[in-house]
Amino acid sequence: MLVSHILRQKGRDVVTVGPTIALAEAAHTLAKRKIGAVVVIGVKGDVAGILSERDIVNALAVDGTHALARAVSTYMTRSVATCGERDTIDTIMEIMTDGRFRHVPVVEGGRLAGIVSIGDVVKTRIEESEREASALKQYIAAG
Ligand code: AMP
C-alpha cells in the first residue's frame, strides 16, 4: 500500500503557517482545525519546518507563557523528514518509529503534496487487515 492511497482517501490539504506568526496563533490553528501539527512554509514556498503540539508544550516548559508571543520559527523543527507519494506505508511507519514523530509531509517535485499522520497510517492498516480477514473467510467458506 502506497502513500498515494492515503492521499486519495483523505485529500491533499495541508494546514500551513508562516515562520513569523506567533506561537499563540499557531496553537489556535491547531485547536481550531483539530490537528496535531502544522507545516511551516518559508518565503520561497519551501518547507521551512514543522511545528507540532509537542513543540508548543516544550516551548511553554522552557520559556513559560513568554513563548506564546515569540515566532513559530523559534520552536519549530527545521530538519523535516518528508516522503513521496510512491513510498510505502511500511516505510512511513519506519520513518515515524525511528524519528519518534507522528507526522510526515508528502513532497512531490519540490512542492508540498499532502501530509500523513500516524492516525492515517493506523486507519489504513486496520482497513487492510479487515480486507485480508474477509477474503480469507470467503475463501474458507467457499472450500
Ligand atoms: P509529533 O509526534 O508529530 O507531534 O512531533 C514530535 C516532534 O517531532 C516535534 O518536535 C515535531 O516538531 C517533530 N516532528 C514532527 N514531524 C516531523 C517530521 N516529519 N520530521 C522531523 N521532525 C518532525
Side-chain angles (χ1 to χ4, degrees):
M1 191 82 76
L2 303 177
V3 165
S4 55
H5 171 91
I6 292 182
L7 295 184
R8 263 200 304 277
Q9 279 198 345
K10 73 173 276 198
R12 291 170 175 279
D13 275 0
V14 185
V15 179
T16 63
V17 297
T20 58
I21 71 155
L23 198 68
E25 203 180 319
H28 275 298
T29 302
L30 294 182
K32 195 169 145 204
R33 305 295 293 263
K34 297 184 168 58
I35 53 173
V38 282
V39 175
V40 184
I41 298 293
V43 275
K44 292 177 199 143
D46 53 319
V47 174
I50 189 161
L51 183 93
S52 90
E53 49 204 1
R54 190 170 307 173
D55 298 313
I56 298 175
V57 169
N58 284 338
L60 289 171
V62 173
D63 294 333
T65 51
H66 295 299
L68 293 170
R70 294 192 181 138
V72 154
S73 57
T74 316
Y75 300 108
M76 69 188 188
T77 300
R78 289 172 190 272
S79 168
V80 183
T82 62
C83 67
E85 283 188 37
R86 299 205 58 76
D87 281 325
T88 64
I89 290 165
D90 283 351
T91 303
I92 306 308
M93 283 171 72
E94 231 175 272
I95 294 173
M96 286 179 173
T97 307
D98 291 349
R100 293 170 178 270
F101 45 68
R102 298 162 292 178
H103 300 89
V104 180
V106 185
V107 174
E108 280 296 326
R111 297 192 68 83
L112 195 55
I115 189 163
V116 176
S117 76
I118 200 158
D120 301 323
V121 170
V122 170
K123 182 171 174 276
T124 309
R125 265 307 162 106
I126 290 171
E127 282 168 5
E128 211 173 17
S129 302
E130 281 173 350
R131 260 200 312 277
E132 276 169 19
S134 147
L136 274 175
K137 275 184 201 155
Q138 274 176 24
Y139 176 75
I140 292 163

